[in-house]
Amino acid sequence: MKRLLRKISIAAFVLFSASSCDNLLDVNVDPGRISADQITVPNLLPSAIRFTANVQFGAAQFGAQYPQYLGGQAISQYTPYGFDQLWRPLYSDALPSLQEIISRAEALGAYNYSGIAKVMLAMNMLTASAIYGDLPYTEANKGTAILNPCYDTMQQLYEVHIPQLINSAIEDLQRPLPELPNLRTVRNDYIYNGNLDNWRRAAFALRARYNLQMSIKNPSLLAAAAADVDRAFTGFSQDLDLIYEANIQNPWWSFLGNPVNKTQQPTSFITNMMNGTAQYPGLVDPRLPLYMSSSNPNEFRGVVPGRLVGDDPTVNVNLTATTWHSRNVAPLQMLTYTEAQFIKAEALLNSNRPAAYEAYVNGIRASMTKLGVSGDAINSYLQNTLVSMGSSNLQLRDIMMQKYIALYLQMETWNDMRRYQYDPNIYPGLNKPVINQIPGEPWIQRSNIADDEPGTNTCIPVIPNQGVKLWLFDN
């Protein structure tokens, strides 16, 4: 895996080069460059997977300060921020490599590969549009034909392009295998090792996420979201994760888990939710020491959102090389059984409370089990009346707070918060950062435009104040 990832890490930039180096006097052809005919669909897949993980991490690397998982930098004060760590890997790497796989695979009848690529492309576009709103898509990746791609609106992306991608992925993954023997088995798949059933389940999980998001515009999609969950993962072993290795470290380790880089810290909101002092008084969450390390194992104090690292000397929590998400070999979570269960719980809350409650409990149990929490500790937590209230007493806030804890460091939580506009009845104890630099001090609603765009692309939309709601959340 390591050698192959290194070998083709430049594949997305190579695909459009000339395919012949016969004329060594042709100064426009680089004889040391891999040609297009040397790149195969199976060889493109590992880089596309890695690029997709980079996009998902790039969304959360600094963006995790918006749902108040992490804090300590000026971004938490709502200073202008353009999510460049998401934009660059999306448009330089992931989108061109995934579109190339789709184009080549469809031409070969290798719908197993095109279906996988469409799942990842749809997930990336869904993540990016929920952050930026409008995005280049139909005019993107056209080379010199369109040097200044105009943006599709968020409404177009959500109502047309993204659901088309997801539905096409599901269709492709249900088609017969290709006739070419060397393409019948998916090779170089470092997520599911070629297991198409798991990719199909991931596609349904992604559609469930999409349907839940779109239910804010069309409440009838709640039933569709619940139905898709039933066709998605059956357990956390099927999660869409990229598991890293000692020599290819998890990016959270490189960013915050290593011993020297502590530019962000867990916030007081997530810490107090788990340490028994706030939303669950007296109930300490057994995931707490797995999520963050403390210099005092009997006390966990997070940074107040809007404060900078070092402002408060009593803050004593960090991500480290031993915390679960920031180990160098930890998986980067992208779509999970846990999230799907909470989607189902929310979707069925008003129509089938017993099923909603069952999914709510399943989500908590799966989150803890995946992290390695002991069965006794899980049962003790679930038996507490603050968590185990029964189906008749289950409230939306119970589902959303437990989903918040379970999806630690994942940006889907920010979409949840904006769907409910940071409602304190759903997220008790959630407050705006103590320093808020957006005029009028609203809640943060969107990304600023990426820094790479002005001066490079002449066809860009006017990005309003970051406190102005995106189309999806403007009801």
Side-chain angles (χ1 to χ4, degrees), residues 252-464:
W252 281 116
W253 180 90
S254 302
F255 182 50
L256 293 175
N258 69 81
V260 296
N261 194 24
K262 304 299 176 191
T263 57
Q264 298 181 41
Q265 294 174 289
T267 70
S268 55
F269 182 65
I270 179 67
T271 303
N272 293 345
M273 190 182 292
M274 301 179 75
N275 68 10
T277 64
Q279 293 87 344
Y280 299 97
L283 178 61
V284 177
D285 194 308
R287 291 167 290 190
L288 180 60
L290 299 171
Y291 279 10
M292 61 193 79
S293 293
S294 172
S295 58
N296 179 355
N298 297 315
E299 181 183 45
F300 289 73
R301 295 179 61 91
V303 61
V304 172
R307 297 297 182 196
L308 303 181
V309 169
D311 283 356
D312 181 355
T314 67
V315 173
N316 62 1
V317 292
N318 278 297
L319 271 68
T320 69
T322 60
T323 50
W324 194 89
H325 299 80
S326 52
R327 297 166 294 140
N328 64 349
V329 295
L332 185 75
Q333 301 182 99
M334 293 179 272
L335 275 170
T336 67
Y337 170 79
T338 294
E339 178 190 343
Q341 290 302 299
F342 285 115
I343 289 173
K344 184 177 180 179
E346 181 183 354
L348 295 180
L349 179 62
N350 294 322
S351 61
N352 188 340
R353 297 183 71 86
Y357 186 73
E358 180 183 13
Y360 159 81
V361 173
N362 287 344
I364 298 172
R365 186 178 296 278
S367 168
M368 292 188 172
T369 305
K370 183 171 182 176
L371 268 63
V373 176
S374 71
D376 288 343
I378 294 172
N379 291 334
S380 177
Y381 186 84
L382 287 173
Q383 288 166 6
N384 190 287
T385 56
L386 294 173
V387 176
S388 180
M389 70 294 294
S391 61
S392 60
N393 294 317
L394 180 67
Q395 302 295 318
L396 180 62
R397 67 172 178 271
D398 301 316
I399 297 169
M400 301 313 294
M401 284 197 299
Q402 284 296 330
K403 184 180 181 184
Y404 179 92
I405 295 171
L407 267 61
Y408 184 53
L409 301 181
Q410 297 179 52
M411 286 303 288
E412 189 58 25
T413 297
W414 191 34
N415 297 329
D416 291 339
M417 285 185 164
R418 288 178 293 164
R419 281 194 296 117
Y420 291 109
Q421 283 304 300
Y422 302 92
D423 188 341
N425 294 313
I426 297 174
Y427 297 100
L430 181 67
N431 296 301
K432 294 175 183 176
V434 293
I435 299 176
N436 184 336
Q437 298 193 35
I438 297 180
E441 299 187 353
W443 282 105
I444 194 77
Q445 298 289 340
R446 63 194 300 151
S447 169
N448 199 12
I449 195 165
D451 291 341
D452 288 349
E453 280 290 90
T456 301
N457 186 355
T458 60
C459 191
I460 58 177
V462 175
I463 302 299

